[in-house]
Amino acid sequence: MSELKNGLTYAQAGVDIDAGNALVEKIKPMVRSTRRPGADGEIGGFGGLFDLKAAGFTDPVLVAANDGVGTKLKVAIEAGIHDTVGIDLVAMCVNDLVVQGAEPLFFLDYFATGKLDPDQGAAIVSGIAEGCRQAGCALIGGETAEMPGMYRDGDYDLAGFAVGAAERGQLLPADDIAEGDVILGLASSGVHSNGFSLVRRIVELSGLDWSAKAPFDQNRTLGEALLEPTRIYVKPLLNAIRSTHGIKALAHITGGGFPENIPRVLPKDFAAELDLDAIDLPPVFSWLAKTGGVSAVEMKRTFNCGIGMILVVASGQAAQVAAVLQKEGERVMTIGRIIARRETGVVYRGHLGL
């Protein structure tokens, strides 16, 4: 076999090690900004460390979650807005931890792209760091993969992994959910990070560009409005859990909407009765439904419809829990109650304001 006169380099094959090193230097201050008790190390090692004792836990149970952002990334890529999807990435993981009563402790990300752009990568990680600060967890590591041939120019993908902890015996859902318990809903910030394959199809049908004014929000472009980050409910919920002891169950309303997510946290003999008239539906959902001709049934099983988190609360403590959450800046709606289950896990009264 003949030898090449001039040997190939990794860069000529499409992988730029120098660009990767430049990205690491850019994001180091962002990572430092997420430090918390239990996590004090620098990125760059082979693994991230976390000290549970330093975090104040006595007999903890670890809870883990991983997720991605889905095709919302396509909106970010096409709109050229990269500094918010990192918040979504963190939110999708840490909101799943807090529903089990766990405090998020640390987070790791996976960023894959065809050709690494250090500035784009830094914008993405800035969002991840912001999400970690909102959730009170440390960004202790991650992986950046430059894979030419796997992704088209400009495309990238994100995945996240979070670990939290709760003291043994304090996990949710509780075992005392009962008929008559109140269902509270926390307002979402918008579409969050689910249903974007349908969202993108509706935008295509509308004929609008991402740079056009959003029909449902004249102060922002369509791209900016639809990229509104997923709300992170961690700190307000942890405060309410610890200060009131009145929360029996939580459900993060993601893919599958109300009918898929709420029954996951209820005993098999109980169902949720939701009063749809009590839900303050954000304009984005009305626009999606009307523009795409999407039925109310499809809306409820695809989107959060304005409710990003569901709480099951003892009836006598609903007002106290709501007050704590409102003080923390959450918009709280009383939207239903727990009933005996007959056929389905979610029963509806009233209508969405589509």
Side-chain angles (χ1 to χ4, degrees):
M1 181 177 178
S2 61
E3 294 185 6
L4 291 171
K5 186 175 180 180
N6 297 308
L8 286 169
T9 65
Y10 209 7
Q12 288 171 324
V15 179
D16 190 342
I17 294 174
D18 292 334
N21 292 335
L23 175 59
V24 170
E25 291 305 311
K26 283 178 177 287
I27 66 176
K28 277 184 177 180
M30 304 174 196
V31 174
R32 290 190 199 106
S33 74
T34 70
R35 284 178 171 172
R36 55 152 293 157
D40 298 312
E42 288 276 357
I43 60 168
F46 286 96
L49 304 177
F50 193 91
D51 184 343
L52 279 167
K53 187 174 181 181
F57 287 90
T58 304
D59 185 20
V61 175
L62 294 179
V63 183
N66 72 303
D67 213 330
V69 185
T71 56
K72 189 174 187 177
L73 290 179
K74 292 293 291 182
V75 180
I77 292 165
E78 292 169 9
I81 302 171
H82 307 287
D83 59 351
T84 58
V85 287
I87 301 174
D88 291 292
L89 182 66
V90 176
M92 296 303 289
C93 295
V94 298
N95 283 342
D96 280 356
L97 293 183
V98 77
V99 299
Q100 294 187 258
E103 174 187 342
L105 303 176
F106 59 86
F107 188 86
L108 299 99
D109 70 279
Y110 175 78
F111 168 43
T113 185
K115 183 173 177 56
L116 182 60
D117 177 339
D119 291 332
Q120 181 195 68
I124 293 166
V125 176
S126 73
I128 295 172
E130 171 60 23
C132 287
R133 289 191 294 269
Q134 289 184 25
C137 65
L139 178 57
I140 66 169
E143 168 68 4
T144 300
E146 188 174 23
M147 299 188 289
M150 287 289 289
Y151 298 90
R152 290 182 296 183
D153 286 350
D155 280 353
Y156 59 85
D157 198 10
L158 294 174
F161 176 78
V163 172
E167 294 291 357
R168 196 176 304 275
Q170 296 181 10
L171 291 169
L172 297 176
D175 58 7
D176 61 344
I177 293 174
E179 195 169 351
D181 285 343
V182 172
I183 298 174
L184 302 178
L186 301 187
S188 68
S189 56
V191 184
H192 284 184
S193 299
N194 299 101
F196 268 84
S197 293
L198 179 54
V199 169
R200 289 168 52 241
R201 179 68 178 130
I202 292 169
V203 170
E204 183 182 338
L205 288 172
S206 76
L208 295 172
D209 295 325
W210 300 118
S211 59
K213 287 291 183 184
F216 50 88
D217 185 348
Q218 290 296 302
N219 295 317
R220 294 190 289 181
T221 67
L222 183 59
E224 290 168 342
L226 289 174
L227 286 170
E228 177 68 33
T230 305
R231 190 164 181 83
I232 293 176
Y233 300 99
V234 169
K235 290 181 180 179
L237 283 175
L238 286 176
N239 186 14
I241 289 169
R242 293 165 177 171
S243 64
T244 70
H245 304 286
I247 297 176
K248 297 185 177 185
L250 297 167
H252 185 199
I253 306 304
T254 56
F258 298 141
E260 297 294 329
N261 288 292
I262 299 175
R264 294 167 65 182
V265 299
L266 299 180
K268 61 181 180 64
D269 294 331
F270 294 98
E273 183 184 70
L274 298 185
D275 178 6
L276 299 177
D277 292 324
I279 296 175
D280 185 9
L281 192 79
V284 60
F285 296 106
S286 298
W287 181 79
L288 289 169
K290 290 174 182 176
T291 306
V294 185
S295 70
V297 171
E298 190 69 14
M299 291 293 294
K300 287 180 288 191
R301 67 193 297 262
T302 304
F303 300 114
N304 65 61
C305 294
I307 301 295
M309 188 70 71
I310 290 283
L311 294 74
V312 177
V313 182
S315 59
Q317 292 177 280
Q320 180 190 10
V321 170
V324 170
L325 291 166
Q326 287 164 345
K327 190 174 181 180
E328 292 279 339
E330 297 298 329
R331 192 151 58 91
V332 186
M333 293 166 256
T334 301
I335 61 171
R337 64 192 180 103
I338 298 299
I339 61 173
R341 181 165 181 159
R342 294 177 179 84
E343 295 180 1
T344 62
V346 179
V347 177
Y348 302 104
R349 291 190 291 110
H351 303 279
L352 285 174
L354 297 172

